[in-house]
Amino acid sequence: MSQATYLAPADAARELGVSAKALRLWEDRGLLTPGRTIAGWRTYGPSEMARAREIAALRGLGLSLTQIAQVLDGDAEELEPALAAHQSGLEAQVHRLADTIGRVRTLRETLAAGAAPALADIVRLQAPAPELIAAFDLPWPWGGERFELHGLRPLTWIVGPLGSGKTKLAERLAREIPNAAFVGLDRCSTFADDAHRDRVGKTLGWLAEDGAIPSEPLKGLMTALEDDRPAALVVDLIEHGLDEPTQLALAAWLRRRGREARPIFAMTRSSAMLDLAAAGQDEAIIFCPANHSPPILATPRAGAPGYEAVATCLGAPAVRARTEGVIAFRPPAA
């Protein structure tokens, strides 16, 4: 009989496709209880890994940690809306795939009839090139280099060290992206209508279930994020005024919105908001180098260009609190 495998937190997280921070959060919320070695180190055996896979699957459906606890206790009521949303997303993918299959069938029928199909129709079978969303000359502190944004993701992070110009870039993106709005640090709870108020209340409830601490900064931020009038949002330092549990819950909410969600550009310096180990395919990172080279797209994978530089700009909320309000100043050239 083969000996059971027990994994350290980093290895268990890698196998599950989550971060070690997520495993610790699940443990803190009583969803998962790892074993312990003689020396007291956490370890994950077959039963713990099976439970962790269940939690990860439910998390992937968009359930809060409170809802997951209810499902694990045998209450399946919370599964219906989550499965309905998942089904809707899958059906959208099926429709897109069926359209492509139909075009392939038409091309084959053209060939069978002895005619050559138009090459443009063949090109359209491939994944379309990302659309050019915005193009502009970079403002100070750059030297006027050209910047182009191709395609929109549901979630794009803007990262860079102090003085790198990331705030200037965020403000310019908000002006250049069609129908986008900039969300500054002064956030107030002004509702457009009753539907807007209801959306904010529902989201705040979900965040509270996931461990967020209610506060005026959180309410103001969610009022801006749940305003459906702008086509895209660019948010200045999204973690401003939020403690670590709230940041972790907010990051989970941002990711659960799905591929069809309105694009959000979020500036951050917090590893609780941008956990590189948990970043998914629907996320992008714009990195602003310290030397004022043009911003680049960085991939959240170890060894990829820009990864290490992005990682050095992120810190835990307690660490980042030490530089709260610090402004990097460089006098303009004479």
Side-chain angles (χ1 to χ4, degrees):
M1 186 172 68
S2 60
Q3 187 175 5
T5 301
Y6 288 83
L7 302 175
D11 297 325
R14 189 177 305 111
E15 183 168 318
L16 292 164
V18 301
S19 66
K21 187 183 301 181
L23 292 178
R24 182 69 68 89
L25 180 61
W26 298 349
E27 180 183 348
D28 291 343
R29 296 295 295 271
L31 301 176
L32 181 65
T33 304
R36 296 279 180 168
T37 65
I38 295 177
W41 299 104
R42 290 175 175 79
T43 182
Y44 297 83
S47 61
E48 291 83 12
M49 290 299 290
R51 171 55 66 94
R53 289 189 181 91
E54 293 172 350
I55 298 171
L58 293 170
R59 199 70 160 141
L61 288 175
L63 271 65
S64 70
L65 295 180
T66 297
Q67 292 171 324
I68 289 173
Q70 294 170 351
V71 172
L72 293 177
D73 286 341
D75 182 1
E77 182 178 352
E78 300 290 350
L79 283 175
E80 168 53 30
L83 289 173
H86 188 58
Q87 178 181 333
S88 178
L90 291 174
E91 288 173 346
Q93 295 179 41
V94 168
H95 290 321
R96 288 192 292 268
L97 185 58
D99 178 66
T100 301
I101 291 173
R103 285 187 276 128
V104 171
R105 183 181 297 112
T106 299
L107 292 174
R108 294 186 63 195
E109 291 172 350
T110 300
L111 283 171
L119 293 180
D121 292 334
I122 295 177
V123 171
R124 280 194 290 269
L125 292 178
Q126 308 304 314
E131 178 187 1
L132 178 62
I133 304 299
F136 52 87
D137 294 335
L138 289 164
W140 186 90
W142 292 278
E145 297 94 335
R146 193 69 172 167
F147 178 82
E148 294 185 354
L149 176 67
H150 292 268
L152 289 174
R153 301 283 184 89
L155 182 57
T156 299
W157 303 98
I158 302 174
V159 180
L162 285 171
S164 63
K166 57 185 180 296
T167 303
K168 293 287 187 181
L169 177 66
E171 291 173 338
R172 187 61 182 271
L173 283 171
R175 292 199 301 270
E176 298 292 340
I177 297 172
N179 301 316
F182 183 74
V183 180
L185 299 182
D186 185 14
R187 299 156 187 168
C188 59
S189 303
T190 302
F191 303 105
D193 50 38
D194 290 342
H196 183 196
R197 186 191 303 273
D198 291 343
R199 288 195 301 273
V200 172
K202 181 178 180 180
T203 301
L204 288 174
W206 191 95
L207 290 169
E209 288 182 356
D210 226 33
I213 308 301
S215 67
E216 285 303 314
L218 177 61
K219 184 178 180 181
L221 174 63
M222 296 318 302
T223 299
L225 296 186
E226 286 291 8
D227 186 346
D228 60 4
R229 290 172 295 181
L233 293 171
V234 183
V235 186
D236 186 6
L237 207 61
I238 194 168
E239 66 267 16
H240 181 68
L242 306 181
D243 55 29
E244 184 166 9
T246 302
Q247 291 184 35
L248 292 171
L250 176 60
W253 177 82
L254 288 169
R255 292 189 172 103
R256 74 182 281 268
R257 296 176 310 128
R259 292 187 175 184
E260 306 302 321
R262 175 180 53 180
I264 291 177
F265 292 76
M267 193 169 68
T268 187
R269 298 176 62 221
S270 170
S271 60
M273 288 303 312
L274 173 51
D275 183 347
L276 291 172
Q281 295 181 348
D282 295 331
E283 298 172 57
I285 301 173
I286 299 176
F287 174 66
C288 299
N291 64 358
H292 296 153
S293 296
I296 64 171
L297 283 176
T299 302
R301 299 290 178 269
Y307 176 88
E308 296 299 333
V310 170
T312 61
C313 295
L314 302 172
V319 174
R320 286 307 178 198
R322 300 173 195 163
T323 57
E324 182 72 24
V326 172
I327 299 174
F329 174 75
R330 288 185 177 88

